[in-house]
Amino acid sequence: MIGRIIGALVGREMGRRDGRGGVKGAAMGWVAGSVMRRMGPLGMILGGGYAAKKAYDRRKVDKVRRGY
């Protein structure tokens, strides 16, 4: 279950990369989730790290835009 959640987060971040998201992001998330499950715990760590880094970068940009 955790793997599916991480796969969804990775798919969302990959879909946001081109700005459109939608079906393409969902498909990439499904593929990324499958690959991460095949890699085992290392895949989950890498996928979770990717999603966390993207969220951290987005938050940092938002802070700069607001002027905090």
Side-chain angles (χ1 to χ4, degrees):
M1 183 165 156
I2 301 268
R4 291 181 191 261
I5 293 169
I6 291 174
L9 292 173
V10 170
R12 183 181 68 180
E13 295 301 331
M14 292 173 85
R16 285 184 177 179
R17 188 171 47 185
D18 65 356
R20 287 183 268 176
V23 175
K24 182 179 174 185
M28 287 193 302
W30 179 76
V31 169
S34 298
V35 169
M36 287 186 301
R37 280 191 293 279
R38 292 265 182 204
M39 291 177 67
L42 178 63
M44 292 298 144
I45 291 169
L46 292 175
Y50 175 78
K53 169 101 171 68
K54 291 296 182 179
Y56 174 76
D57 290 344
R58 191 171 45 251
R59 183 176 173 160
K60 193 162 69 170
V61 167
D62 287 343
K63 281 186 177 181
V64 169
R65 285 183 184 164
R66 287 188 226 149
Y68 295 7

